[in-house]
Amino acid sequence: MSEGAPIPGIVITGASGRMGQMLVKHVAASPKARLVGALVREGHPWIGQDAGTVTGGAALGIAVTDDPLEAFAKAQAVIDFTSPAASVEFAALAAQARAVHVIGTTGFAPVDLERIRAAARHAVIVRAGNMSLGVNLLAQLARKVAAALDDDWDIEIVEAHHRMKVDAPSGTALMLGTAAAAGRGVELEAHRARGREGVTGPRRRGDIGFAVVRGGDVVGEHDVIFAADGERIVLRHLATDRAIFARGALRAALWGQDRKPGEYDMIDVLGL
Ligand SMILES: NC(=O)C1=CN([C@@H]2O[C@H](COP(=O)(O)OP(=O)(O)OC[C@H]3O[C@@H](n4cnc5c(N)ncnc54)[C@H](OP(=O)(O)O)[C@@H]3O)[C@@H](O)[C@H]2O)C=CC1
Ligand SMILES: O=C(O)C1=N[C@H](C(=O)O)C[C@H](O)C1
């Protein structure tokens, strides 16, 4: 954001969710942004109540709403950690309002990504399976390590999340797999091993494998393993606080204010 620019107004979608509640608090506490809206699903019991008090803090003078059109009209940015169906709809509405759309949601199908790409013709969209500085740095490291090693080194990605997570593998695991594939100069989809069970036969040379753990309240853990005969490299990121994602998302919303329409990611935002 350029010096002297007005402080951007930000709407949080999915305000009742784990990330939504964290974002309401984070944006409200930031001197660099103004919280101008908190959106929930139609019919949600929080509608009309103060966004600060329902998320466990002091009153903010912002009534929770279920009307995205009205909310986005007041915003310079929308921060959205919801579901693929909701984010695709919000991408079109945010583009209409010419608001920067920061999408943290994961689990998109290819058809959803096409619709997000279409919206990005008219507005700035920043989308990343993980908004933390640490994971985006890890993705760059995974890319570099993969570029330095040949197919004698098997690449496996192991991720763990809380019991409520609905998509697998995580958006972060896919991001890390994509980065490792890029380092090797291949497409992930052509080399992706999607989980193993039964008599699988030996590992296919050059595959990038994914393994998923779900349980308890794990915020998010990711290992990128490079395994060869006689040695192994493990690159690891452990998230212990969702604030890291909120911090990254707000940074993306501010960064997006001065950009041309298009689809960006956190590597762009962080300049990595
Ligand atoms: N990129 C990143 O850095 C991160 C990404 N994530 C991703 O963010 C997403 C949300 O995670 P989390 O907060 O844990 O999930 P929650 O289930 O806690 O929250 C999701 C929120 O979105 C709302 N929502 C879902 N679908 C709709 C819809 N169709 N219309 C309106 N509102 C909707 C839910 O409302 P209701 O409860 O009423 O259904 C809820 O408030 C996930 O995809 C997760 O993987 C999470 C953390 C970091
Ligand atoms: O659902 C979550 O919680 C998380 N989702 C993101 C993902 O799918 O990678 C990011 C983070 O790991 C937490």
Side-chain angles (χ1 to χ4, degrees):
M1 223 170 63
S2 49
E3 284 287 303
I7 292 183
I10 297 189
V11 168
I12 306 301
T13 64
S16 60
R18 279 175 289 275
M19 278 307 300
Q21 294 191 45
M22 170 68 71
L23 281 156
V24 165
K25 291 180 197 138
H26 191 73
V27 171
S30 170
K32 295 183 179 162
R34 287 175 301 125
L35 182 74
V36 295
L39 191 69
V40 292
R41 196 192 277 280
E42 219 180 302
H44 194 279
W46 287 7
I47 294 165
Q49 298 191 53
D50 187 278
T53 50
V54 287
T55 55
L60 296 170
I62 306 284
V64 175
T65 178
D66 63 351
D67 182 347
L69 272 180
E70 184 214 350
F72 292 3
K74 292 184 250 169
Q76 281 71 56
V78 173
I79 301 183
D80 175 22
F81 287 66
T82 52
S83 64
S87 290
V88 164
E89 192 188 317
F90 295 150
L93 298 177
Q96 263 178 48
R98 296 293 185 263
V100 171
H101 188 192
V102 177
I103 305 178
T105 307
T106 56
F108 291 106
V111 64
D112 300 326
L113 297 177
E114 281 304 315
R115 292 178 61 188
I116 289 172
R117 199 158 301 132
R121 287 204 290 269
H122 310 287
V124 173
I125 295 183
V126 182
R127 186 178 68 81
N130 196 304
M131 299 276 169
S132 76
L133 172 61
V135 157
N136 283 278
L137 203 52
L138 180 71
Q140 297 296 66
L141 291 174
R143 186 186 179 122
K144 276 201 161 181
V145 175
L149 301 173
D150 64 16
D151 280 3
D152 286 345
W153 292 77
D154 301 324
I155 304 178
E156 293 282 312
I157 295 169
V158 183
E159 59 105 332
H161 282 87
H162 53 94
R163 62 168 75 92
M164 301 306 289
K165 184 160 179 63
V166 296
D167 56 311
S170 68
T172 309
L174 293 171
M175 228 174 95
L176 294 169
T178 303
R184 274 199 169 160
V186 299
E187 288 292 321
L188 176 62
E189 282 315 307
H191 294 272
R192 178 170 163 185
R194 290 169 183 268
R196 303 179 180 102
E197 197 182 311
V199 183
T200 59
R203 190 181 196 285
R204 204 168 58 139
R205 191 176 169 88
D207 268 0
I208 297 179
F210 289 84
V212 173
V213 176
R214 292 286 175 268
D217 62 356
V218 179
V219 174
E221 301 184 353
H222 294 87
D223 279 3
V224 185
I225 303 168
F226 296 85
D229 291 343
E231 58 184 326
R232 244 178 315 151
I233 300 167
V234 182
L235 304 180
R236 168 172 294 170
H237 182 267
L238 305 177
T240 53
D241 187 340
R242 287 186 175 82
I244 61 173
F245 311 129
R247 208 178 295 141
L250 176 56
R251 186 163 171 173
L254 300 177
W255 177 90
Q257 297 302 310
D258 288 339
R259 308 292 145 181
K260 292 201 178 95
E263 199 178 0
Y264 301 90
D265 61 21
M266 284 305 284
I267 303 283
D268 299 315
V269 173
L270 298 167
L272 294 174

